[in-house]
Amino acid sequence: DTGVSQNPRHKITKRGQNVTFRCDPISEHNRLYWYRQTLGQGPEFLTYFQNEAQLEKSRLLSDRFSAERPKGSFSTLEIQRTEQGDSAMYLCASSGTAGSSGNTIYFGEGSWLTVV
Amino acid sequence: QKEVEQDPGPLSVPEGAIVSLNCTYSNSAFQYFMWYRQYSRKGPELLMYTYSSGNKEDGRFTAQVDKSSKYISLFIRDSQPSDSATYLCATSYTGANSKLTFGKGITLSVRP
């Protein structure tokens, strides 16, 4: 069990550029989540996949944000035309379904985005 | 009003103290209650989770849920400097492996 892996860990980008983050969940987990966390706040839910299907998206996920999980394994979160307000830590998490060994949510170390 | 409110911090205690961390929530449909610990610039890690009302103990940690008052607590006994971190309460409608709603977190510092 190597845990949830996120890359890159840190990204500094200029306003208006596109950025993409990758998440590799725990191998046997079929649920994958993206959260965003700003300083002094708890994580806020962005979106959730079960296998390759994106089942829920938050209102926080504007049309500049897109997430994919093409083969039900790794996932990418792309932010287009970044704005300074997008500066945050983007957390990926995974879990199994009820009855499996993954019945709680495990978080990755996060990907820090700074938009300058 | 946010769905999960957490007592504001930061909190500083001497080593060995008993720490009480508290949250309230507004939606009675929440059934699962979690406490996560987050060290600086790291992802949250699950400490404990509880289904419905009641107490759950794990070593020096006790989680308590009172659904009648919509109140969640985490007690830490014999606190250690290594307990210094941000503590996040979280709730879920359908399971500890489902979408979570977090409080804003409280930063705890345990002084040697």
Side-chain angles (χ1 to χ4, degrees), chain A residues 31 33 35 37 56 95-96 105, chain B residues 36 38 43 97-100:
Chain A
R31 292 184 177 181
Y33 306 82
Y35 287 79
Q37 187 176 23
E56 189 174 348
S95 71
I105 292 180
Chain B
Y36 280 81
Q38 186 174 29
N97 60 342
S98 301
K99 172 188 164 185
L100 303 177

Side-chain angles (χ1 to χ4, degrees), chain A residues 2-94:
Chain A
T2 57
V4 178
S5 176
Q6 293 190 244
N7 288 287
R9 291 294 318 282
H10 300 91
K11 179 74 175 178
I12 299 174
T13 191
K14 291 184 177 178
R15 187 163 48 97
Q17 298 294 303
N18 299 346
V19 296
T20 299
F21 299 112
R22 176 180 169 127
C23 172
D24 288 272
I26 293 171
S27 58
E28 65 268 27
H29 285 177
N30 59 355
R31 292 184 177 181
L32 187 147
Y33 306 82
W34 286 98
Y35 287 79
R36 180 171 68 189
Q37 187 176 23
T38 53
L39 283 175
Q41 301 297 318
E44 295 176 296
F45 171 79
L46 292 178
T47 190
Y48 148 59
F49 292 85
Q50 181 151 318
N51 299 312
E52 65 275 11
Q54 189 173 19
L55 296 186
E56 189 174 348
K57 292 196 294 185
S58 163
R59 289 173 293 129
L60 293 175
L61 210 67
S62 76
D63 56 6
R64 295 185 299 105
F65 287 70
S66 62
E68 293 183 342
R69 194 182 183 197
K71 296 182 180 179
S73 56
F74 73 92
S75 175
T76 57
L77 176 68
E78 181 183 20
I79 309 173
Q80 296 182 325
R81 306 181 303 281
T82 52
E83 301 172 356
Q84 287 188 320
D86 297 332
S87 296
M89 180 165 67
Y90 291 85
L91 287 161
C92 179
S94 70

